[in-house]
Amino acid sequence: MELDLETISEIKRKAVEFLFEFGPRILGALIVFIIGKIVIGFLVKALHKVFEKYNIDPSLSSFLKSFASAILYVLLLITVASTLGIEMTSFLAILGAAGLAIGLALQGSLSNFAGGVLILIFKPFKVGDTIEAQGTLGAVEKIDILYTKVRNFDNKVVTLPNGVLANNSITNLSEKPTRRVEMAVGVAYGTDLKKTRQVILDTLKKDERIHAEPEPVVKFTSFGDSSLDLSVRCWADAGDLWPVYWDNMEALKEAFEANDIEIPFPQRDVNHYYPEGIPAAKVKEDSEGSQV
């Protein structure tokens, strides 16, 4: 289909009208976009310097920079659209409604996200720490923005939501360099407690992993059913906690045996009565007397 001169002239006229009407808007939008992009780059770099200054976790720093950059680009897009003369009221209403629906649908994930941010900022624990939380005791293997992975001592990996961790108590067993070792021992009734205490202290002094300060203590705690109960407390490096406990429990047993300190065990006296109520020992005594 061939175009006649009149049609071509009309197209040229409308093109010129469009150019004069929308050309300045397009040029303005392009300038806004270029300037906005430069400003966003400057702000992201400034944010990076702030994170470095306050020693923010690298994984959190990277996520927050990407998140901030995405928000800034959304704002830039809205500004550019507004510069082009696009009506933004309806668009923003739809965007707000969609954001509300997404927020309600992802309420749990948003809670975990906020918890992850708080954990990475305030650092109640870090990768490699041993923690106890939500009934789980183990070493932290990974801290994600939504979940934390903990490997317990039988090599099972437990995934805990960050929202739950951030809003409940956490016991960090690795934050302090030293830990108190507690051992409970019992000796037989009639045992000399002063001698026993000295034997225990002498045994602990042989272990170089046990700190001299604070010095070990041995205290009598209770009268047990079959034993006099003692509490033994000493301090060691956090990494030596269980080796010190296991080795010294065995060393104390050997020291007690070497010093004739009796290690008690539960005992019961049993008397057997016949149905008539006569003790068995009495029946045996009477029968032996009658034989004589």
Side-chain angles (χ1 to χ4, degrees), residues 18 20 30 38 59 62 70 89 102 109 112 117 134 139 176 180 198 209 215 221 235 238 257-258 283 287 289:
F18 177 84
F20 276 100
L30 184 61
I38 295 173
S59 57
S62 176
T89 306
I102 293 172
S109 296
N112 291 338
V117 172
Q134 300 300 301
K176 298 299 182 180
R180 188 175 70 185
Q198 191 59 49
R209 297 168 298 182
E215 62 182 8
T221 56
W235 289 84
E257 292 174 348
V283 173
S287 63

Side-chain angles (χ1 to χ4, degrees), residues 6-274:
E6 185 178 349
T7 304
I8 294 174
S9 298
E10 183 67 18
I11 293 174
K12 289 181 178 180
R13 185 181 63 80
K14 289 185 177 182
V16 171
E17 289 179 356
F18 177 84
L19 183 61
F20 276 100
E21 182 178 356
F22 293 101
R25 295 183 184 181
I26 295 173
L27 181 61
L30 184 61
I31 294 174
V32 169
F33 178 78
I34 294 173
I35 295 175
K37 190 174 181 180
I38 295 173
V39 172
I40 289 174
F42 174 78
L43 292 176
V44 170
K45 288 182 180 178
L47 194 62
H48 177 72
K49 291 181 180 179
V50 171
F51 289 157
E52 284 187 338
K53 179 179 179 180
Y54 290 98
N55 197 26
I56 302 299
D57 189 272
S59 57
L60 175 62
S61 173
S62 176
F63 176 83
L64 289 180
K65 284 189 294 183
S66 299
F67 183 76
S69 178
I71 294 296
L72 291 172
Y73 271 108
V74 169
L75 294 175
L76 177 60
L77 180 62
I78 293 173
T79 304
V80 169
S82 178
T83 304
L84 287 172
I86 299 174
E87 182 62 41
M88 300 303 298
T89 306
S90 300
F91 175 75
L92 292 177
I94 294 173
L95 186 63
L100 178 61
I102 293 172
L104 292 174
L106 300 177
Q107 186 175 2
S109 296
L110 292 175
S111 174
N112 291 338
F113 164 73
V117 172
L118 291 174
I119 289 172
L120 291 171
I121 289 177
F122 294 105
K123 298 181 180 180
F125 56 85
K126 60 183 183 296
V127 173
D129 284 355
T130 299
I131 66 170
E132 184 175 5
Q134 300 300 301
T136 298
L137 174 64
V140 178
E141 280 202 332
K142 188 176 182 182
I143 305 174
D144 288 328
I145 203 65
L146 295 179
Y147 298 96
T148 294
K149 291 186 177 182
V150 177
R151 177 175 52 82
N152 60 24
F153 295 113
D154 57 356
N155 212 32
K156 296 178 182 177
V157 177
V158 181
T159 302
L160 300 173
N162 286 337
V164 175
L165 289 177
N167 291 288
N168 289 278
S169 61
I170 302 170
T171 302
N172 190 330
L173 305 179
S174 302
E175 184 169 347
K176 298 299 182 180
T178 59
R179 292 277 306 280
R180 188 175 70 185
V181 184
E182 298 188 23
M183 294 171 278
V185 299
V187 295
Y189 277 91
T191 302
D192 185 343
L193 291 182
K194 291 183 179 179
K195 174 185 176 181
T196 302
R197 180 179 290 107
Q198 191 59 49
V199 168
I200 293 174
L201 292 175
D202 290 343
T203 302
L204 297 180
K205 286 180 181 178
K206 297 177 183 178
D207 192 336
E208 296 180 352
R209 297 168 298 182
I210 296 177
H211 296 179
E213 291 294 335
E215 62 182 8
V217 295
V218 181
K219 297 295 183 181
F220 173 61
T221 56
S222 64
F223 296 94
D225 291 338
S226 304
S227 63
L228 300 174
D229 298 328
L230 301 169
S231 177
V232 182
R233 296 179 178 180
C234 58
W235 289 84
D237 292 343
D240 293 332
L241 174 70
W242 288 111
V244 166
Y245 176 85
W246 291 322
D247 293 346
N248 282 280
M249 285 297 287
E250 184 174 343
L252 288 176
K253 175 184 178 298
E254 295 173 354
F256 285 173
E257 292 174 348
N259 288 274
D260 297 323
I261 297 175
E262 183 181 350
I263 301 174
F265 53 89
Q267 302 180 46
R268 295 290 184 271
D269 292 331
V270 179
N271 294 313
H272 180 222
Y273 286 86
Y274 283 91

